[in-house]
Every structure is written in structure tokens, then in C-alpha cells.
Amino acid sequence: MKEWVSPNTTTGSPAVGSNYFDRKDIEKEFWRRVKCGEHIRFLAPRRVGKTSIMKRITKYPEEGYVCFYENIQSVKSMPELFERIFEMVLKCANKGAKAKTWLAKVTSQFSIKEITATGVKFDRQGLDFVKELFSLLESMTEVDEHVILFLDEFPEVINKLRTNGKAEEAKDILHKLRELRQTGRFENFTMVIAGSIGLEFVVKKIARPNTITDIKAVRVGALSHTDAKALIQKVTKGASLQYNDAMADALLAKVGYALPYYIQLMLDEIDTLAQKKEQTKVTKKIIDEAFENIIRYNRNLEDWYTRLTETYDGEFKFLNEVLIACAKHNKLAIQQIADIALPHNLDADCVGLMDDLCNDGYLIEDDNHIYSFVSPFLQAYWKRKFRIL
Ligand SMILES: Nc1ncnc2c1ncn2[C@@H]1O[C@H](COP(=O)(O)OP(=O)(O)O)[C@@H](O)[C@H]1O
Ligand SMILES: [Mg+2]
């Protein structure tokens, strides 16, 4: 047998470089909103492709913009967050060509020794970074450079503060950041936040929803059928296993909700199985087998469950019961959901919570208020976890 060539899959870490599949519609919407002066949030469940898109935009920004991306998950307090953003502004401006004079001024103002992509060296003693960030952005308006900061995992920071008894601090952060966006003076600054837990829900618990409603949501969802097929072709280019039109359709039918992650997982698993069986053709049978293996062995599906336990408190039990019922019956009407909510005393919140499940990518609602799982993977995972036969 010829030497086996596996497909060029990325399954887990963000897709970068030649592994990135263009998500032109999302990128286009992003730039349209930035140009309208809006601040943006990419909020979607894990492994939908947020980080990949942000890294792509950071690397290839449109003319006149300079971007900087950081995962801020480890931030533990309000001062730390503002210090981090302060540094990000400097590191970002440092990447651009037009901010040199301004940077030189700021560098002497703060006695900064060095700015590199990884850090800024200077004496931080006694600085109030909330105040300093405002004045930094104020002075940046004189610069002909537009800075875009990507703060990945932002809702996680807010939620961690909330669950660690620091809800007031979390609320202060939301208010201060809103003030920063709303002053209207910082025209050449855009803030982008992203994260995998439901920000709306976290915010609802500690502050008024209007602390975030001005940040425009850019949705990251599934690929179109045509794009999904193009992704299969791209990833399997030169590989031993090739997908004809019928087999690509069969794979996508099995995947249901065409997230690049699920498609790549399937390509990977089918490849492993085919090598084991010394099979050189893709068949319907091997596609089904790969799907079953992923449900059984893929630990990442567990994230979808854990995420609910981390985000919700008293509501978790109700939401899980809804998902179990949905997994079992395939479809659930709003009346049935109201019945589940009743013993939890959540009947008044039930529609809002169902909206959260839809916004977070678990369920979809049709025109008749019937809910079902977005992804067959998730439904099969819930069935298996709760032994629904
Ligand atoms: N644009 C893309 N091109 C190719 N694969 C992608 C793309 N976006 C996401 N993926 C797939 O999804 C996985 C997770 O992507 P990532 O950007 O880390 O998602 P998120 O930040 O939403 O958790 C990647 O490992 C890859 O399998
Ligand atoms: Mg991510």
C-alpha cells in the first residue's frame, strides 16, 4: 500500500495560517460595524471559531487599522483589567506606523523603558489605571491610527468575580467600560470582547442589561452548505481518503449544524478508522461509525454541559431537564417547557432562559415556538450522558 496521507485537520486549537478557512461574511460584518463606530462582541459557545476569526483579523486588518489580541482569562480584579487594557493600547499602537510621535510622548510621560509585543516595562507604583486609561485614550484621539483591541474570554472574568463574591467589582467594571465606550470622544478606539459563556445572563445577575447592550453582537454560527463542502475539499487536499459529492453530502447530513470544528473532527475520526480497517474509500457506514466514536470518546462535548453548570446557579437544574426532554423527544413545545419550569418556580423566567439556550447555541426555536437541538452531536451527547435509549 502507498504511504497513507492524513487530512490536514485542526481540532481544538484556533485555526491559523493555512489552516484557517475564510469566514468572509463574518469578517465583512465585523468591519462594517467597526466603520460605523460600534464596539463589538463575538459571543458564541466554545469551538465555534471566535478566536480563529479574531486572530485572523488581527493579522490581516483593513488599511488604517491596527489590532491587538489577548486572552484575558487570568485577570482577577478591576485594577488588573484596566492595567491590562492600558498596556494593550500601547502594544497595539506600537505595531502601527503612525503613532510613533504620540508613543514617544507617552513613553516619557510614564517613564516607560520598553514596549514589546509581550509586555510594557515601567514603574507602575501608585498609578490608578482606570484614570490613566481614560487619559491615554483621550490623548490618542490626536493620533491618525485606529486601534482595535480584542479581549478574549471577557465574560469568564466577569463571571469569576461574580462567583467569588466580588459582584460589585464586576459591576463597576461593566459600568466603567460602558462609560469609556459612551464618552464618544475616543473615535479611533474599538473594543471587541469575546467569550464562551453567556454574557447576557451573567450581566443580568449583577447589573442592568444596558451596561452591555450598546456592544453590537456579531454572530458566529455554522458554515453554509457550499462553504462546508469547500472546507472538506481544503482539509483533505492531497489526502489518501477523498470525498466525492455524495460522501461530502452524507458527512454534512450527519454533522447537521456545520461548524468547522465538527466537520474537522469527523474528517479526523474517519481517517483514523479507515487506516485501521485499511479501507481506501469513504462509505456511509464509516461516517456513522465515526459519529458514534466522537459521541463516545470526545471530551470536548462535555464543555457544553460544564458551561451550563458554571454559568447558571439555581436555573441549571431546570435547563438540564429541558435539554434532557428535548434529547428524548426531539422536539419540545413552549407549553411542555412551562410545565418543566413550574416546580422550579421559574415559570416567569422560562421564556428568557429559553432565549439564553438559543443564543448560546444549544437549541433552535421555530416559528411555532417548538424547540430542538441545533446539533445532532449535542443531542446524541445528552442522550448518552443521561442514558436516554
Ligand atoms: N475559520 C476556521 N477554519 C478552520 N477551522 C476552524 C475555523 N474556525 C474554527 N475552526 C475549528 O474550530 C476549532 C475551534 O476554533 P476556535 O477559534 O478556538 O473556537 P472558539 O474560540 O470559538 O472556542 C478549531 O480547532 C478548528 O477545528
Ligand atoms: Mg476561543
Side-chain angles (χ1 to χ4, degrees):
M1 211 161 103
K2 265 202 323 203
E3 197 183 333
W4 189 270
V5 182
S6 291
N8 188 16
T9 50
T10 315
T11 52
S13 41
V16 293
S18 63
N19 289 325
Y20 180 79
F21 181 83
D22 276 340
R23 307 213 63 183
K24 282 271 177 293
D25 291 354
I26 299 171
E27 290 180 32
K28 238 199 246 133
E29 185 183 347
F30 172 84
W31 287 110
R32 187 171 56 75
R33 292 194 176 279
V34 167
K35 286 171 193 167
C36 289
E38 290 170 344
H39 298 272
I40 290 165
R41 51 194 165 129
F42 283 117
L43 297 171
R46 271 179 206 149
R47 296 191 182 81
V48 160
K50 302 176 296 296
T51 303
S52 303
I53 292 169
M54 291 190 290
K55 290 196 159 178
R56 179 67 168 199
I57 294 174
T58 302
K59 194 148 183 211
Y60 299 103
E62 286 202 358
E63 174 104 31
Y65 295 88
V66 52
C67 302
F68 201 86
Y69 164 93
E70 256 179 35
N71 182 327
I72 57 159
Q73 197 167 22
S74 62
V75 167
K76 289 190 182 61
S77 69
M78 176 155 170
E80 197 186 332
L81 178 69
F82 279 80
E83 179 177 343
R84 192 79 177 253
I85 301 176
F86 180 89
E87 281 195 18
M88 279 176 79
V89 173
L90 295 179
K91 289 189 275 190
C92 189
N94 196 39
K95 277 172 77 181
K98 297 184 193 147
K100 299 288 178 228
T101 321
W102 174 73
L103 267 177
K105 201 169 87 185
V106 177
T107 303
S108 75
Q109 187 186 340
F110 288 96
S111 311
I112 292 171
K113 292 195 187 74
E114 194 187 21
I115 304 175
T116 63
T118 47
V120 183
K121 278 192 197 150
F122 67 115
D123 184 10
R124 291 160 169 76
Q125 282 279 311
L127 288 177
D128 171 356
F129 281 100
V130 179
K131 225 175 83 214
E132 300 302 349
L133 179 63
F134 274 74
S135 57
L136 186 73
L137 291 176
E138 178 85 64
S139 79
M140 209 182 67
T141 51
E142 68 195 51
V143 184
D144 192 19
E145 188 86 88
H146 190 120
V147 159
I148 306 180
L149 300 188
F150 293 83
L151 308 173
D152 205 355
E153 314 285 0
F154 174 81
E156 282 76 357
V157 172
I158 299 295
N159 195 44
K160 221 169 19 183
L161 284 170
R162 176 183 79 89
T163 51
N164 288 343
K166 293 184 177 171
E168 274 308 308
E169 194 169 340
K171 190 170 150 184
D172 283 349
I173 290 177
L174 294 172
H175 281 288
K176 268 291 167 225
L177 287 180
R178 180 166 186 267
E179 192 183 320
L180 189 146
R181 295 189 302 271
Q182 303 251 306
T183 52
R185 280 177 286 138
F186 312 141
E187 279 173 5
N188 50 355
F189 169 72
T190 303
M191 192 171 83
V192 183
I193 61 174
S196 302
I197 64 167
L199 183 66
E200 278 92 351
F201 182 80
V202 175
V203 168
K204 241 188 272 168
K205 290 258 170 190
I206 54 174
R208 292 220 308 274
N210 74 357
T211 47
I212 54 159
T213 39
D214 64 301
I215 317 177
K216 289 291 176 300
V218 172
R219 298 209 169 277
V220 184
L223 299 176
S224 68
H225 193 71
T226 316
D227 275 353
K229 277 182 133 167
L231 175 66
I232 296 177
Q233 293 311 325
K234 177 179 157 74
V235 174
T236 57
K237 196 163 175 226
S240 301
L241 271 190
Q242 288 295 310
Y243 291 71
N244 60 26
D245 231 26
M247 282 306 115
D249 283 338
L251 185 148
L252 293 176
K254 195 77 199 174
V255 166
Y257 191 62
L259 289 182
Y261 176 64
Y262 291 145
I263 295 171
Q264 304 216 45
L265 269 188
M266 285 291 280
L267 294 174
D268 208 31
E269 187 60 32
I270 293 167
D271 183 72
T272 308
L273 284 170
Q275 279 195 66
K276 228 186 268 170
K277 297 168 188 272
E278 298 192 1
Q279 181 176 327
T280 52
K281 274 207 158 27
V282 181
T283 57
K284 185 85 184 36
K285 186 161 170 275
I286 206 166
I287 291 175
D288 289 344
E289 213 176 321
F291 182 90
E292 290 306 320
N293 278 1
I294 290 169
I295 301 303
R296 198 161 299 168
Y297 304 118
N298 188 280
R299 302 246 321 279
N300 293 335
L301 288 170
E302 183 76 21
D303 277 352
W304 287 78
Y305 177 78
T306 319
R307 177 170 183 259
L308 285 182
T309 62
E310 282 169 1
T311 317
Y312 297 95
D313 314 313
E315 302 84 354
F316 166 74
K317 270 200 162 132
F318 158 69
L319 293 173
N320 197 36
E321 274 179 40
V322 168
L323 291 170
I324 290 171
C326 219
K328 186 169 179 183
H329 304 296
N330 296 323
K331 288 183 184 320
L332 220 50
I334 189 72
Q335 295 82 354
Q336 292 169 288
I337 293 165
D339 289 344
I340 300 176
L342 205 59
H344 296 279
N345 286 326
L346 285 171
D347 28 334
D349 305 315
C350 139
V351 171
L353 286 165
M354 291 310 292
D355 285 347
D356 287 342
L357 280 187
C358 292
N359 286 333
D360 288 353
Y362 290 79
L363 301 179
I364 35 171
E365 179 187 3
D366 72 9
D367 295 342
N368 299 317
H369 306 294
I370 308 279
Y371 294 84
S372 55
F373 268 93
V374 172
S375 151
F377 276 107
L378 270 196
Q379 181 173 7
Y381 168 79
W382 241 270
K383 272 186 162 167
R384 187 176 151 77
K385 186 171 178 74
F386 295 97
R387 292 170 289 279
I388 301 163
L389 302 169

